[in-house]
Amino acid sequence: MMTKMSAKVQRGQWISCGQSTGALSSGIDRWDLLECVAELRKLLGVSDRELRILQAHLSVLPKGPLLAVKPNISFMSGAEVCRRAMGIEEHTRLRAEQRLEKAGLVKRRLSANRRRFAVRDGEGKVYSGYGIDLTPLVERADELMQLREKFRAAEAHKAEMRSSLRARLRALEDLALAMMGDAQALLERISSWRTVLRRRTLVLRDLSAMAAEIDAAETEVIPREQCAAAPTEQETVNRGSLAQSNKMTVDDEQNVGHIESDRKESKIEISAHSNPKIAKEETSHYCIEWGELKELQTFYPQAPTSSRELLLRLAEFGSFLGLRERSLSNAVARLGSDGTAILLDYIAGRIAGIPNPEGYLESLLRANARGETIAGGALYARGVSP
């Protein structure tokens, strides 16, 4: 006997059939399965519209876990499906069911007159029918769950690669800003890489290709940095821009500190000695009076008599502010020793309100590299008139 059945009656019939066979003791939860399909919708070629239709059909199956050995057919009419799927149009519902079938998640069982109804046995129990059969979805449950685990692992790996590449781009940008040569082309490449990293459609192949490009850029830049840090015996020219301020007596403790500092070769001094461009620009880029540097003069009342002495003072004073020698070397490479002295004096005057002096110094150097004036207008970019 064949009869037409509403969604409400169908749920009751399926429940009765399941209870009589005791088949609800195992299986898979329908909503877990729907969540799995939703997470894999791009891989399966399913949109949000198809998910709403699938949810509507799952809602009329018997309560409890789903079993592949049982009929899992939805007999809802098209109008009822549209109502349960938040009022979508009839033609949209039809296309969505066709796409679900193409994705291998359902099978459309069509009767001769295109109506949906249940087929009962002699005892009046439903054993088959015409409608939307969700058995293919239930049968693929294990496959979909395993696919979801692989998908999550791949997404986690992608997120890790994105974070790693962003960190490497930041370090590469710092190296580029510290370069004495023209780094504009490299900075533009770094900006384009960051733009690509914001795309949500990136796959692991794209990230691996970008990592290889960054490797090549690092190989090109790092040897220059190492070359700039190599020691040489060349002495920098004497500074003519520093004027002697009023002579003041230095206490014994400060004298001892200066003697100890002179015995150590600073990385800042090495960088300046090995780079002739720095030595050349130190006397011409910024001209300062030692008396104008209030914070530095507090620690060192007498003006330095040579560029080497100034670099040693900058290294020592920078350590007081919590700055690493590498950051100070970048500052000297960018601003020269005069400019670095102005910048450190500026930071020292505001140190109480700066929670991260290291990061603050790097941000000022980046701003100067972009052509901005820093240190309260005292430092301007190279090639820009004050």
Side-chain angles (χ1 to χ4, degrees), residues 40 89 114 118 121 211 215 374:
L40 299 173
E89 298 294 333
R114 303 286 175 170
D121 60 15
D215 286 340
I374 60 174

Side-chain angles (χ1 to χ4, degrees), residues 324-340:
R324 294 178 298 180
E325 287 192 344
R326 179 177 178 179
S327 297
L328 293 172
S329 298
N330 292 339
V332 173
R334 180 72 200 170
L335 306 173
S337 53
D338 278 5
T340 303

Side-chain angles (χ1 to χ4, degrees), residues 191-202:
S191 177
S192 65
W193 282 328
R194 283 178 172 155
T195 301
V196 172
L197 280 176
R198 288 193 289 268
R199 296 176 184 171
R200 300 182 62 183
T201 57
L202 282 180

Side-chain angles (χ1 to χ4, degrees), residues 143-207:
E143 173 197 345
L144 293 174
M145 295 295 180
Q146 293 175 7
L147 184 60
R148 179 171 65 174
E149 292 303 317
K150 293 180 181 178
F151 176 77
R152 288 177 174 176
E155 289 297 306
H157 185 42
K158 282 171 56 177
E160 182 181 356
M161 286 193 67
R162 283 177 189 265
S163 299
S164 175
L165 291 176
R166 288 192 180 102
R168 291 176 62 184
L169 288 177
R170 178 61 182 271
L172 187 61
E173 182 183 41
D174 292 340
L175 290 175
L177 293 175
M179 289 170 54
M180 294 303 298
D182 184 12
Q184 187 61 33
L186 179 57
L187 291 174
E188 290 177 357
R189 290 176 63 192
I190 292 173
S191 177
S192 65
W193 282 328
R194 283 178 172 155
T195 301
V196 172
L197 280 176
R198 288 193 289 268
R199 296 176 184 171
R200 300 182 62 183
T201 57
L202 282 180
V203 296
L204 288 175
R205 182 177 61 256
D206 299 329
L207 295 173

Side-chain angles (χ1 to χ4, degrees), residues 25 47 49 136 165 209 246 335 372:
S25 59
S47 67
R49 181 170 51 248
L165 291 176
N246 296 331
L335 306 173
E372 300 177 13

Side-chain angles (χ1 to χ4, degrees), residues 115-386:
R115 293 186 178 275
R116 301 174 179 180
F117 53 88
V119 177
R120 304 171 185 272
D121 60 15
E123 298 179 356
K125 296 179 180 179
V126 176
Y127 69 91
S128 184
Y130 296 94
I132 302 299
D133 188 358
L134 294 104
T135 301
L137 174 63
V138 181
E139 290 176 342
R140 295 183 62 185
D142 290 339
E143 173 197 345
L144 293 174
M145 295 295 180
Q146 293 175 7
L147 184 60
R148 179 171 65 174
E149 292 303 317
K150 293 180 181 178
F151 176 77
R152 288 177 174 176
E155 289 297 306
H157 185 42
K158 282 171 56 177
E160 182 181 356
M161 286 193 67
R162 283 177 189 265
S163 299
S164 175
L165 291 176
R166 288 192 180 102
R168 291 176 62 184
L169 288 177
R170 178 61 182 271
L172 187 61
E173 182 183 41
D174 292 340
L175 290 175
L177 293 175
M179 289 170 54
M180 294 303 298
D182 184 12
Q184 187 61 33
L186 179 57
L187 291 174
E188 290 177 357
R189 290 176 63 192
I190 292 173
S191 177
S192 65
W193 282 328
R194 283 178 172 155
T195 301
V196 172
L197 280 176
R198 288 193 289 268
R199 296 176 184 171
R200 300 182 62 183
T201 57
L202 282 180
V203 296
L204 288 175
R205 182 177 61 256
D206 299 329
L207 295 173
S208 298
M210 182 183 295
E213 294 176 1
I214 295 175
D215 286 340
E218 289 175 340
T219 303
E220 179 183 354
V221 173
I222 291 177
R224 300 184 191 177
E225 188 76 8
Q226 292 173 346
C227 181
T232 128
E233 296 181 357
Q234 177 185 359
E235 290 290 332
T236 56
V237 294
N238 292 331
R239 299 168 53 84
S241 61
L242 292 177
Q244 285 281 0
S245 62
N246 296 331
K247 293 184 179 181
M248 300 178 66
T249 303
V250 182
D251 58 29
D252 294 337
E253 292 182 0
Q254 288 178 329
N255 283 333
V256 172
H258 294 170
I259 293 172
E260 292 297 326
S261 297
D262 289 340
R263 293 175 183 173
K264 298 179 181 179
E265 189 72 8
S266 170
K267 290 182 181 178
I268 300 175
E269 182 186 2
I270 292 172
S271 178
H273 282 232
S274 62
N275 198 325
K277 290 188 177 181
I278 297 177
K280 182 178 179 180
E281 294 180 4
E282 281 177 350
T283 59
S284 60
H285 189 41
Y286 298 107
C287 295
I288 60 172
E289 294 288 340
W290 189 253
E292 297 175 357
L293 306 177
K294 303 300 182 183
E295 303 298 331
L296 275 167
Q297 192 182 37
T298 302
F299 284 84
Y300 312 99
Q302 292 184 343
T305 58
S306 67
S307 60
R308 181 176 185 275
E309 184 180 355
L310 176 61
L311 290 170
L312 289 171
R313 289 186 181 186
L314 293 178
E316 186 177 39
F317 191 69
S319 67
F320 295 157
L321 300 178
L323 303 175
R324 294 178 298 180
E325 287 192 344
R326 179 177 178 179
S327 297
L328 293 172
S329 298
N330 292 339
V332 173
R334 180 72 200 170
L335 306 173
S337 53
D338 278 5
T340 303
I342 295 173
L343 186 58
L344 293 188
D345 190 77
Y346 176 80
I347 293 175
R350 293 157 178 77
I351 194 65
I354 302 175
N356 182 12
E358 183 87 18
Y360 185 61
L361 173 65
E362 293 177 356
S363 67
L364 290 177
L365 293 177
R366 287 194 294 271
N368 183 261
R370 294 193 297 267
E372 300 177 13
T373 302
I374 60 174
L379 298 177
Y380 48 89
R382 291 177 180 174
V384 179
S385 299

